[in-house]
Amino acid sequence: MKNGVVIVGAGHAGVQAAASLREEGYDGPVTLVGDENELPYHKPPLSKTFIKDPAAQPQMLRAEIFYANNHIDLRLGASVERIDLSARRLELAGGATLPFDAAILATGSRPRELKLAGAELAGVLSLRSVADARAIRELSAAIEDVVILGGGFIGLEIAATLRLGGRNVTVVEAQDRLLGRAVAPSISAHVRQRLETMGIRVLTQTTIERLEGDNGHVSAALNSHGERLPAQMVIVGIGVVPNVELAQATGLTLSNGVRVDGQLRSSRPEILAIGDVANYRHLFSGADVRLESVQNATDQAKLAARTITGHDGHYDSVPWFWSDIGDMKLQMVGLAGTSDSTVVVGDVVDNKFSVYHYFGTRLIAIESVNRPADHMLGRKMLGAGFSPHAETVTAGADALKAAFAEAQKEAAA
């Protein structure tokens, strides 16, 4: 392939795709296009250590020399305006073009826009990039009151970090519980209790009607109960939307993201999509999903490289996620959306417990708080298709490990 592979997006997915192409022996041109001027970096620390420590620097995904040594043409600060399918080339802002034999869209997602009066005020921020994190870090050092809109992972990670830094923090969530679309009610309740113990105020079933300002800077948020919440910073964490504009203009099939097949090819087979922007039929759950996680981005990038280099294989990775919120390490494996029963093990009071999710007799997910051993074993069990009886789970870790080991022996026999 004389024109090689062009990857649009230099986040976790895009960088891994470039690296994996070389690991798979691909020797054609590889171009990685990113719209930020920063060397590609890890995003999870931005909501935690980075905004907490004034001296913290972005953690690079790969050292700069990696790209040169692997003959990866890294184009930073570049924006792709159009894909010309007939000519098989990308058109960049400024007029440059990049021909390709195959293209990978790793365009990611962006924070959902806040649409209410006062959203344009200074001090109303969201977090998706290191520039956003720098803005939050700098402003938080000079203010006292923060309102966070949205009780999802990013919002709660920031809430805990800023509270530990001495800020007065209020979390406003429209639904009836925190992390409502992500974890079991028991974990939602536990997270809320721990955050409130830290001194964070949590308001559920509450929305913001408008933001008020003073000299162009946000000063308060008026909630749906008529309460005025002081705020010199408002952080918007109300979800994300996939960056599909380029794909849409190209005519690719969309469905809550770019629709891809099991090999991550879009409706145009020369164009693949991976990471936050890709929507696919997950073999593990049978559902159409678009997952926002580093694991998903990394694993899809590896498969995309294999697809381009001619290997067979379908995307069937068991999804797993994590989040650090205050003194809680939340780890999740599997997809619990169809769960019809749960088993809880561990000590909730001691801040160490796990929730095992079942659909009928099938184990489909495990959510853990400060129980990393449960999470790691869960990844192995779900990957092997092993579903222990609920009685085995409650019998303890040794019994569960023994049952899994026996099942593996039988499978190998």
Side-chain angles (χ1 to χ4, degrees), residues 16 83 85 112 123 204 209-210 222 246 283 290 319 321 383:
Q16 183 63 57
I83 300 176
L85 284 176
R112 190 179 301 278
T204 50
E209 298 296 318
R210 69 175 186 271
L222 186 69
L246 188 62
L283 296 181
R290 185 181 61 79
F321 317 83

Side-chain angles (χ1 to χ4, degrees), residues 262-264 280 282-283 295-296 299-300 303 313-317:
Q263 291 188 303
L264 304 173
Y280 62 101
H282 201 288
L283 296 181
Q295 170 267 330
N296 181 68
D299 286 352
Q300 287 191 340
L303 180 61
H314 286 74
Y315 190 64
D316 60 358
S317 295

Side-chain angles (χ1 to χ4, degrees), residues 8-299:
V8 185
H12 289 270
V15 170
Q16 183 63 57
S20 293
L21 282 167
R22 293 306 187 213
E23 290 165 1
E24 293 294 334
Y26 181 76
D27 60 2
V30 174
T31 305
L32 179 60
V33 181
D35 58 6
E36 294 185 65
N37 288 309
E38 303 272 355
L39 201 64
Y41 55 85
H42 288 273
K43 289 192 173 181
L46 297 183
S47 58
K48 298 174 279 290
T49 55
F50 187 86
I51 64 174
K52 178 175 61 177
D53 181 2
Q57 298 296 320
Q59 298 177 21
M60 299 301 104
L61 289 170
R62 304 275 181 164
E64 187 170 8
I65 197 172
F66 167 84
Y67 303 97
N69 287 348
N70 286 277
H71 306 288
I72 296 168
D73 182 4
L74 179 60
R75 305 282 187 98
L76 298 178
S79 176
V80 179
E81 292 194 335
R82 179 173 175 265
I83 300 176
D84 184 340
L85 284 176
S86 60
R88 284 209 182 187
R89 67 184 184 187
L90 301 184
E91 298 177 359
L92 306 183
T97 61
L98 293 172
F100 65 85
D101 295 304
I104 300 175
L105 300 182
T107 49
S109 57
R110 64 184 183 277
R112 190 179 301 278
E113 183 182 353
L114 180 65
K115 296 181 179 179
L116 53 80
E120 76 287 351
L121 291 166
V124 180
L125 306 169
S126 57
L127 177 60
R128 197 61 183 173
S129 69
V130 70
D132 297 331
R134 288 192 180 105
I136 292 171
R137 182 169 69 183
E138 291 171 6
L139 182 56
S140 66
I143 55 96
E144 293 184 357
D145 303 302
V146 181
V147 170
I148 295 178
L149 307 185
F153 289 119
I154 294 296
L156 298 186
E157 289 172 1
I158 296 172
T161 300
L162 295 182
R163 179 58 191 156
L164 289 170
R167 308 286 80 77
N168 301 318
V169 180
T170 301
V171 174
V172 179
E173 168 56 49
Q175 303 302 314
D176 61 357
R177 62 187 179 96
L178 302 177
L179 304 172
R181 293 177 292 275
V183 299
S186 58
I187 291 185
S188 290
H190 180 75
V191 169
R192 178 170 186 163
Q193 182 269 322
R194 301 296 292 192
L195 292 177
E196 290 179 334
T197 299
M198 291 175 62
I200 294 172
R201 188 182 181 199
V202 178
L203 303 176
T204 50
Q205 294 183 293
T206 304
T207 58
I208 296 299
E209 298 296 318
R210 69 175 186 271
L211 302 179
E212 298 178 349
D214 184 10
N215 293 322
H217 194 103
V218 69
S219 59
L222 186 69
N223 72 21
S224 52
H225 304 297
E227 183 181 5
R228 185 178 185 275
L229 305 172
Q232 299 86 50
M233 179 164 65
V234 172
I235 295 177
V236 181
I238 55 175
V240 300
V241 294
N243 294 322
V244 298
E245 289 76 14
L246 188 62
Q248 185 174 31
T250 308
L252 305 183
T253 299
L254 304 181
S255 177
N256 183 30
V258 180
R259 185 68 183 176
V260 296
D261 63 15
Q263 291 188 303
L264 304 173
R265 296 187 186 277
S266 73
S267 53
R268 290 292 299 241
E270 68 271 34
I271 301 180
L272 291 75
I274 59 176
D276 288 13
V277 78
N279 181 293
Y280 62 101
R281 176 64 55 86
H282 201 288
L283 296 181
F284 175 77
S285 67
D288 292 340
V289 296
R290 185 181 61 79
L291 300 180
E292 300 157 10
S293 74
V294 172
Q295 170 267 330
N296 181 68
T298 300
D299 286 352

